[in-house]
Amino acid sequence: MQTGRFSHSLKRVIAWLPASMFILAIAAVALFVAQPGFAGAQAASTGAGRPKLTPTASATPGCPPNWNVVNSPNPLTNNYLYAVTAVSPNDVWAVGFYYHYNGGGQGGSLTVHWDGTQWTQVVNPAPLISRLYGVDAVSSNDVWAVGYFQASGNSLPQTLILHWDGAQWAILPSPNRVGSNELLAVTAISSDDVWAVGDTPGNHGTLTEHWNGSYWAIVPSPPESFGDDFLLTAVDAVSPNDVWAVGYEDRGIGSSRTLIEHWNGTQWSIVPSPNPGAYYGSLYGVAAVAADDVWAVGAYSNDGGSTYPTLMLHWDGTSWNVVPGNSSNSFNSLRGISAVSSTDIWAVGLTTDCSLCLTFNTLIEHWDGTSWSVVPSPNGSNEFNRLRGVAAVSANDVWTVGYSDQYNYPYLSSTLIERHTCAPPPTVTGTPPTATATATQPATASPTACNVSNSNYTISASVGATVVAATTDIGLHCDDCTRTVALPFAWSLYGQSFNSVIAGSNGTLGFAANSNHWNVTCMPSQEFNYAILPYWQDLHLDPAGGGCPGCGIFTSVEGSAPNRIFNIEWRARDYFYTAVVNVEVRLHEDNSNFEIIYGSVPSGSNQQVTVGVQKDLGSRYTQYVCENMAGILTNGTMLTFSLPPCGTPSPGTPLPTSTATATAGSTSTQTAIATGTMTAIVGSTSTWTATAVASSTSTRTATAVATAVASNTPPQATGTATQPATAAPSNTSTAQPATSTPVNTVTPTTCAITFTDVPPGSTFYTFIRCLACRGIVSGYPDGTFRPGAPVTRGQISKVVSNAGGFEEDPGAQIYQDVPPGSPFYPWVNRLSRRGHMGGYPCGIRPEEPCIAPNNMPYFRPSAGATRGQLAKIVANAAEVTGTPTGLFYTDVPGDSPFYVWIMRLTNLGVMGGYQCGGEGEPCDAQNRPYFRPAGAVTRGQAAKITANTFFPNCQAP
């Protein structure tokens, strides 16, 4: 192993460890050197030098440079933000990653958004093992984020590129060289001119990739291969022919040299850069103001690592020169930079006096056109505070992001977002408008009707409550297990009625999904739909040799109809079998309110608990406690969850209907609940889909035009990890319910099919005829259709694309194995560009090598597909929406990767399953059928699913 490679690997490991473990494992000075060198810790988004922002030239007079911490999401125990970009004051994005310190595989890429009022997490489809280090935007519906992902914990990192189209994040295919590949920063010049940079650790070279509006391609950049590692950590552009990328050459054992490269419109070349430190020099951020005004920032050391001054380099159009910083501390590192103008530039990072490096503080410096000066900045709640990225909306509005690490166990890390803002003096012109009442809006306020499905629960806390001892043991004495419990009465949660609930050993009640994951997360959690989490923690109900005597879940009913109360009581032990947990949920027959009573709860600081209620991921939820907050819950506490009362509409005011269309990206109102020393945000949401529909009903839109569906599941064999998602054509047609007239119609004419193996009356005759008469499917030269033969990925692309009526230009080549002129080229490209199918990164298989210069992914058009994959492709292409509930198939639980799409089509009557009782498919208590989502799908089945979805009740011409 070469020295340079070892150093780079060591830094990667270090960056994953909690801050306190740095101190225990590595000397303080070595820690400080290694942490800035982490591949990805360098990424910063500048947001400068492009027309998407029009910042004022200088700060408004009287606007003090005050920085303040802004509340930010923290989904898991360890949360990090590395880059930020600003489109407008009400449209700011930050990216990073998050994971759970105790493992369990949860976490992944973190994308959060500022809407002018609050920061919220927005779900993205990146795999669970993934990181985002750079973000930049062209406009509000054209945002790019880059990083890397791993297919498994042992696989090599591969490039990850996400795109936001104004409604959702989607993965786009990105090329890779052989070995490890990482993207650490991105700059978006225009919609068809985007650069991403990083490194290829296995080849020790830099990595530069370019988006031309159709696909990403690797562009050669020096050096291609040397003994040391070369990393490009930041990139920014003056113009399409004037792009700068900076980083460093890692020489191993903490030694490095600055690296600066320039794109002149034709090629990348290394530009000589100063190294004031003979021992160490690294660049982590760049901001391009003009052709003769570019800044790069980082850190250096000239004395073997005893001190680290800030490093500021400036390009004057001819050469790079050192400009002194102004930090008085011994150890400093600048990680991001953003320019408002040539006289208004911000740089951020971290600093410490480093007697033992037991604390890091945020560092912010400002350039006023003459000199750099340190600006006071707040820290997070923990000992180690780092700022990684900065972006300026204007001179009066600047954002910076990073994270704050905890020194002691359990080594938590929380996101850190700070803002410098002040309002400019108001400008008043003309005569203010006179307030008048309109014909449709009463001048006086009046109560309005409400829709409980879109309401948030509120929480009130009281003390002195006692648990009502339940008497019926449901028989759940195990670890990480669930059991369905029949309710004595129908009970409604968020307007959806349920007759049973799935009780989980880990303190959960799921009404629509069977999930009992032990690894706790904050809300909203992808594990649950329609759920109450009275005490979500890794609990034990199993005896375990006497470790949990008397444990279990018990129920009882109080009162008489119609005012009964159903009690569900947990008697459990915590993960270490050291503390008793006794919690009870009380459901009321006459309303949707409920209580949680805590008879016995641990008070230790290491108790990781989430308490609240959730409708679904990205819609509605109310959270009271989120991890390591067990001290807030005390014995005798009762939490009452209530929906707001509905008012009576005024005469003449129309009632809202349940089929109303909600605006995409709507969020709920936030309400703060003070509970001791902790404030919980109630009802924080991520963006949600546009059409409000009943949770158990699927809907079909008027034309088959769709965009990629964001998912929190890892990539399946359909290649979702690399699927492109260019924006689909807009569709202004209104949504059609499942029982509506078929949307694709033709003038009836005589049509007969003559496939010798599909006679009239055979199983798939109707569906094959429906498609064949429309020219969507065809047979083989020997006159057969072969309905029992496996359908290939290429055939699926043709059938689904033609059924959807997709006829746009397929565009340039996307996949190495689907060149122009190949049998399925137009249909593969059309579905891929719409985000409904994807490919596989090159280099995964020996027979699929990466071929320069584009290193395109592979589609595998001759490969087969599964029933679950086909359900997802068809449902998305036909824009079948809705939030499915229930467990219809034995082998498709609520956490199945294809649950949503299988149930959407099942609810439409498009597809069904296989009767239980066959070999290996025993019947459960409900005698539910099996779907066999991993089973190969045949040509006949594909015809049936496609015909039923796109042409319901098909009448073939």
Side-chain angles (χ1 to χ4, degrees):
M1 181 178 291
Q2 299 183 27
T3 304
R5 178 71 257 143
F6 173 79
S7 175
H8 187 63
S9 301
L10 175 61
K11 292 172 203 175
R12 186 184 317 283
V13 173
I14 290 173
W16 279 78
L17 295 176
S20 61
M21 295 178 71
F22 293 164
I23 308 302
L24 300 177
I26 302 175
V29 173
L31 157 66
F32 194 87
V33 173
Q35 178 66 6
F38 168 46
Q42 314 86 336
S45 178
T46 65
R50 289 174 297 286
K52 59 180 177 288
L53 295 179
T54 55
T56 55
S58 59
T60 302
C63 177
N66 293 331
W67 287 86
N68 298 287
V69 174
V70 180
N71 287 335
S72 54
N74 284 282
L76 293 180
T77 57
N78 297 81
N79 309 271
Y80 306 85
L81 292 175
Y82 276 77
V84 61
T85 189
V87 180
S88 70
N90 300 327
D91 191 0
V92 184
W93 285 96
V95 302
F97 61 91
Y98 62 109
Y99 64 93
H100 202 297
Y101 174 74
N102 287 336
Q106 290 201 19
S109 296
L110 178 60
T111 46
V112 298
H113 182 255
W114 172 259
D115 61 5
T117 303
Q118 62 181 346
W119 284 94
T120 55
Q121 181 186 1
V122 179
V123 176
N124 68 69
L128 291 180
I129 307 177
S130 60
R131 307 289 180 259
L132 291 174
Y133 295 120
V135 64
D136 203 10
V138 178
S139 63
S140 60
N141 60 359
D142 193 357
V143 185
W144 296 91
V146 303
Y148 75 86
F149 78 95
Q150 292 175 259
S152 66
N154 297 323
S155 61
L156 296 176
Q158 299 293 285
T159 57
L160 172 65
I161 298 181
L162 300 182
H163 182 257
W164 173 262
D165 63 3
Q168 59 192 355
W169 287 100
I171 300 173
L172 267 68
S174 53
N176 290 272
R177 290 195 173 104
V178 175
S180 299
N181 297 262
E182 305 166 330
L183 293 175
L184 307 179
V186 61
T187 185
I189 304 170
S190 65
S191 60
D192 59 358
D193 191 0
V194 184
W195 284 97
V197 302
D199 70 325
T200 55
N203 297 320
H204 309 292
T206 59
L207 178 62
T208 52
E209 299 194 5
H210 183 255
W211 168 259
N212 64 4
S214 298
Y215 58 86
W216 283 91
I218 292 177
V219 178
S221 56
E224 288 297 319
S225 179
F226 285 86
D228 297 332
D229 277 349
F230 291 82
L231 300 87
L232 293 176
T233 61
V235 61
D236 200 16
V238 178
S239 68
N241 298 327
D242 192 358
V243 185
W244 291 94
V246 304
Y248 59 93
E249 172 192 0
D250 183 353
R251 295 185 168 185
I253 319 178
S255 176
S256 62
R257 307 292 286 171
T258 61
L259 173 65
I260 298 180
E261 299 195 11
H262 181 256
W263 171 260
N264 63 3
T266 303
Q267 63 181 3
W268 285 97
S269 59
I270 294 178
V271 179
S273 55
N275 275 283
Y279 176 73
Y280 176 87
S282 297
L283 296 173
Y284 305 120
V286 62
V289 184
D292 59 354
D293 189 4
V294 185
W295 287 90
V297 297
Y300 75 95
S301 177
N302 198 33
D303 56 8
S306 297
T307 59
Y308 285 83
T310 54
L311 178 58
M312 284 91 160
L313 301 183
H314 183 255
W315 172 259
D316 59 9
T318 303
S319 62
W320 285 92
N321 301 285
V322 177
V323 178
N326 198 33
S327 175
S328 60
N329 284 337
S330 299
F331 289 79
N332 310 272
S333 181
L334 291 173
R335 313 312 295 263
I337 184 171
S338 181
V340 180
S341 68
S342 60
T343 60
D344 189 2
I345 302 175
W346 294 93
V348 303
L350 61 151
T351 184
T352 182
D353 59 8
C354 205
S355 57
L356 284 176
C357 284
L358 294 181
T359 60
F360 291 157
N361 296 318
T362 60
L363 173 62
I364 298 180
E365 296 205 26
H366 182 258
W367 172 260
D368 61 6
T370 303
S371 62
W372 287 95
S373 59
V374 174
V375 177
S377 58
N379 291 294
S381 58
N382 298 314
E383 295 90 346
F384 295 85
N385 299 277
R386 304 169 174 88
L387 297 175
R388 297 296 192 183
V390 59
V393 181
S394 68
N396 302 321
D397 194 358
V398 187
W399 291 91
T400 182
V401 303
Y403 52 92
S404 180
D405 287 334
Q406 181 171 298
Y407 173 69
N408 292 314
Y409 179 85
Y411 311 122
L412 305 182
S413 299
S414 58
T415 57
L416 178 59
I417 300 182
E418 300 184 8
R419 188 184 192 187
H420 158 59
T421 184
C422 58
T427 301
V428 180
T429 59
T431 304
T434 303
T436 57
T438 65
T440 58
Q441 179 63 47
T444 58
S446 61
T448 59
C450 64
N451 182 354
V452 295
S453 66
N454 287 330
S455 298
N456 276 325
Y457 278 86
T458 60
I459 307 174
S460 61
S462 59
V463 295
T466 57
V467 168
V468 176
T471 54
T472 301
D473 186 345
I474 71 170
L476 199 67
H477 303 280
C478 47
D479 186 32
D480 300 333
C481 52
T482 62
R483 175 155 295 182
T484 300
V485 178
L487 299 176
F489 45 78
W491 191 74
S492 177
L493 183 65
Y494 291 107
Q496 177 69 34
S497 181
F498 298 95
N499 294 308
S500 62
V501 64
I502 304 169
S505 63
N506 291 330
T508 63
L509 286 177
F511 290 84
N514 185 0
S515 178
N516 197 47
H517 206 289
W518 60 270
N519 204 352
V520 182
T521 70
C522 293
M523 289 181 161
S525 170
Q526 66 184 18
E527 298 294 332
F528 299 101
N529 285 319
Y530 291 89
I532 297 173
L533 307 181
Y535 198 86
W536 187 20
Q537 192 195 43
D538 189 5
L539 299 177
H540 286 292
L541 298 181
D542 56 312
C548 195
C551 289
I553 299 178
F554 303 82
T555 65
S556 64
V557 181
E558 296 181 60
S560 57
N563 300 304
R564 289 172 290 180
I565 299 175
F566 186 54
N567 302 313
I568 307 173
E569 180 191 0
W570 281 260
R571 302 170 192 168
R573 295 270 184 170
D574 68 359
Y575 178 75
F576 300 101
Y577 291 100
T578 57
V580 174
V581 176
N582 183 215
V583 179
E584 184 173 74
V585 174
R586 295 166 59 83
L587 306 179
H588 293 258
E589 182 178 15
D590 58 348
N591 58 59
S592 295
N593 301 338
F594 63 93
E595 295 93 30
I596 305 176
I597 300 175
Y598 298 91
S600 177
V601 289
S603 58
S605 60
N606 66 337
Q607 299 297 323
Q608 298 172 341
V609 180
T610 294
V611 172
V613 60
Q614 175 175 317
K615 181 180 179 182
D616 50 44
L617 181 64
S619 179
R620 295 289 184 265
Y621 68 92
T622 303
Q623 180 175 275
Y624 184 75
V625 168
C626 174
E627 301 198 41
N628 297 286
M629 297 292 182
I632 296 171
L633 299 173
T634 58
N635 296 348
T637 296
M638 181 171 73
L639 302 179
T640 300
F641 288 71
S642 306
L643 284 174
C646 291
T648 303
S650 300
T653 303
L655 287 171
T657 65
S658 60
T659 57
T661 298
T663 302
S666 299
T667 57
S668 60
T669 304
Q670 283 194 345
T671 304
I673 293 183
T675 55
T677 59
M678 168 264 196
T679 299
I681 299 300
V682 176
S684 304
T685 69
S686 48
T687 58
W688 52 303
T689 54
T691 306
V693 296
S695 61
S696 60
T697 304
S698 299
T699 60
R700 179 187 288 105
T701 56
T703 59
V705 177
T707 54
V709 172
S711 169
N712 274 349
T713 60
Q716 303 298 316
T718 51
T720 55
T722 59
Q723 65 183 16
T726 52
S730 61
N731 180 4
T732 58
S733 301
T734 57
Q736 302 293 326
T739 57
S740 66
T741 303
V743 294
N744 292 335
T745 59
V746 297
T747 302
T749 59
T750 301
C751 173
I753 62 172
T754 58
F755 300 127
T756 57
D757 55 350
V758 187
S762 60
T763 304
F764 298 107
Y765 174 83
T766 301
F767 313 107
I768 294 173
R769 179 172 182 264
C770 177
L771 300 182
C773 290
R774 288 169 166 79
I776 292 173
V777 299
S778 59
Y780 292 88
D782 62 359
T784 63
F785 183 81
R786 304 176 191 175
V791 68
T792 67
R793 286 169 51 81
Q795 292 168 345
I796 288 173
S797 70
K798 179 178 179 180
V799 172
V800 175
S801 180
N802 285 344
F806 305 152
E807 298 179 348
E808 69 272 17
D809 184 347
Q813 181 178 353
I814 298 174
Y815 303 103
Q816 188 66 47
D817 55 349
V818 188
S822 59
F824 299 105
Y825 179 83
W827 304 292
V828 167
N829 274 25
R830 284 168 185 157
L831 281 195
S832 294
R833 294 191 187 282
R834 289 171 177 266
H836 305 320
M837 296 188 78
Y840 305 83
C842 63
I844 295 179
R845 294 179 174 180
E847 66 271 21
E848 295 177 344
C850 293
I851 300 176
N854 297 325
N855 294 303
M856 293 181 179
Y858 287 76
F859 183 80
R860 303 176 188 171
S862 298
T866 68
R867 287 167 51 82
Q869 292 165 354
L870 182 66
K872 180 176 180 180
I873 294 166
V874 171
N876 285 343
E879 283 194 316
V880 180
T881 60
T883 303
T885 63
L887 302 175
F888 187 81
Y889 301 103
T890 301
D891 56 349
V892 186
D895 57 356
S896 167
F898 299 105
Y899 171 83
V900 171
W901 300 283
I902 290 172
M903 288 305 302
R904 282 173 178 169
L905 294 188
T906 299
N907 288 338
L908 281 179
V910 166
M911 58 200 306
Y914 301 85
Q915 183 176 354
C916 66
E919 183 178 355
E921 295 178 340
C923 294
D924 61 9
Q926 291 80 37
N927 291 317
R928 292 177 300 172
Y930 286 76
F931 184 81
R932 304 176 187 171
V937 64
T938 68
R939 286 169 51 85
Q941 292 169 340
K944 178 180 180 179
I945 293 168
T946 303
N948 280 344
T949 304
F950 288 93
F951 308 96
N953 302 315
C954 178
Q955 296 298 319

